[in-house]
Amino acid sequence: MIKGVIFDLYGTLINANHLFLPIAKLISKETKYPAKLLELKIRNTYNKYFKDYHLKPFKPEREYYNLMFNELKEFLGLEHSTNWYIDEMYKTFIELNPYDDVNYLNILKEKGLKIAILSNADDDFVIPSLEKKPFPYDILITSFSTKLYKPDPKIFEYTLNKMRLKKEEVIFVGDNYFVDVIGGNSFGIKSILIKRTFNKFEHIDTIYKLYELEKYVN
């Protein structure tokens, strides 16, 4: 019997499709480069420094963003400090909107299920972001607080202990095939892929809207 659901946050509950567009617009005002081109440049630089970061020893995301903006600062001739741009970007992360179907979490709560959020992100923006979002949850677990990243089995074990539930009593929902689905399944938790955007990976347990979880929790 399913007694709880663990959710990834960004890309699963909160729309992060254009994560870097707001900071790109801010930098565009300073540099006069088109925001869309800057968004692509920032995304490519992000991919360079964040590649497989979740498989390495833990470091806060801010340390990777520091490397990222050091390069962008030199390349674009930015005038402010690296930390200034990170702080401004984190402000935009806090303002990202949830997906329209997150009200399904209210139905899960009405069913008496425990809800945990498990995110690889930094507390600096996750906590204030969740203070603004209209969906319920019982437990928040971040990599920042545990010094662990998904798909490390220790972070899944830690989450279950906090929920006081067993592997067979929960399901995990995430948008990243390798980090969320493969990571959760490898630990022994039934993990479901939610496709919010184009995703070439196929999985036997795939949904497109949170309401489709109904068949897994009944």
Side-chain angles (χ1 to χ4, degrees):
M1 179 179 179
I2 299 300
K3 298 181 180 179
V5 183
I6 306 170
F7 290 97
D8 169 58
L9 185 57
Y10 293 97
T12 299
L13 300 180
I14 293 178
N15 189 334
N17 291 346
H18 289 282
L19 184 66
F20 298 120
L21 183 56
I23 189 65
K25 289 180 178 179
L26 186 149
I27 294 174
S28 177
K29 292 179 181 178
E30 177 186 339
T31 63
K32 308 307 179 187
Y33 289 116
K36 283 291 186 180
L37 288 179
L38 287 170
E39 181 188 21
L40 179 61
K41 174 62 179 176
I42 295 169
R43 169 62 65 181
N44 289 338
T45 310
Y46 169 89
N47 289 338
K48 172 183 175 180
Y49 287 105
F50 278 79
K51 179 177 173 57
D52 295 332
Y53 79 108
H54 53 278
L55 301 178
K56 302 172 184 176
F58 174 81
K59 290 195 299 186
E61 281 195 322
R62 179 177 277 268
E63 293 191 27
Y64 292 101
Y65 281 126
N66 189 65
L67 295 172
M68 181 180 108
F69 274 103
N70 277 339
E71 179 173 323
L72 291 168
K73 182 176 166 64
E74 182 176 353
F75 182 81
L76 297 170
L78 303 179
E79 61 184 28
H80 299 290
S81 70
T82 297
N83 277 326
W84 186 88
Y85 291 101
I86 296 173
D87 289 339
E88 290 300 309
M89 183 180 67
Y90 277 13
K91 290 177 186 177
T92 69
F93 288 178
I94 293 168
E95 297 303 319
L96 292 170
N97 293 316
Y99 288 100
D100 292 340
D101 57 356
V102 296
N103 56 1
Y104 180 68
L105 273 66
N106 291 294
I107 296 174
L108 293 177
K109 289 303 300 176
E110 290 172 4
K111 292 176 179 287
L113 273 68
K114 287 184 179 179
I115 296 175
I117 293 174
L118 176 56
S119 175
N120 276 359
D122 280 356
D123 285 3
D124 289 1
F125 57 88
V126 169
I127 291 175
S129 178
L130 289 177
E131 288 173 350
K132 299 166 62 67
K133 304 308 174 202
F135 52 81
Y137 66 95
D138 301 295
I139 298 165
L140 170 64
I141 307 293
T142 65
S143 292
F144 188 86
S145 63
T146 60
K147 305 299 183 286
L148 299 165
Y149 280 124
K150 295 177 295 181
D152 190 323
K154 293 187 184 70
I155 199 169
F156 290 107
E157 183 176 11
Y158 182 87
T159 303
L160 286 181
N161 288 338
K162 285 290 184 180
M163 297 177 81
R164 297 183 179 180
L165 294 175
K166 301 174 183 178
K167 295 178 183 181
E168 61 271 19
E169 294 176 324
V170 303
I171 56 174
F172 178 47
V173 184
D175 70 310
N176 188 302
Y177 179 74
F178 292 105
V179 174
D180 296 327
V181 177
I182 298 298
N185 278 335
S186 295
F187 181 68
I189 296 174
K190 186 175 184 63
S191 300
I192 297 159
L193 178 68
I194 184 165
K195 286 193 175 185
R196 295 296 198 180
T197 58
F198 171 76
N199 187 327
K200 65 180 179 180
F201 297 105
E202 295 296 331
H203 181 55
I204 188 170
D205 293 302
T206 298
I207 62 172
Y208 295 85
K209 291 290 184 179
L210 292 175
Y211 294 102
E212 297 174 61
L213 289 175
E214 196 72 9
K215 63 184 177 184
Y216 294 97
V217 299
N218 283 335

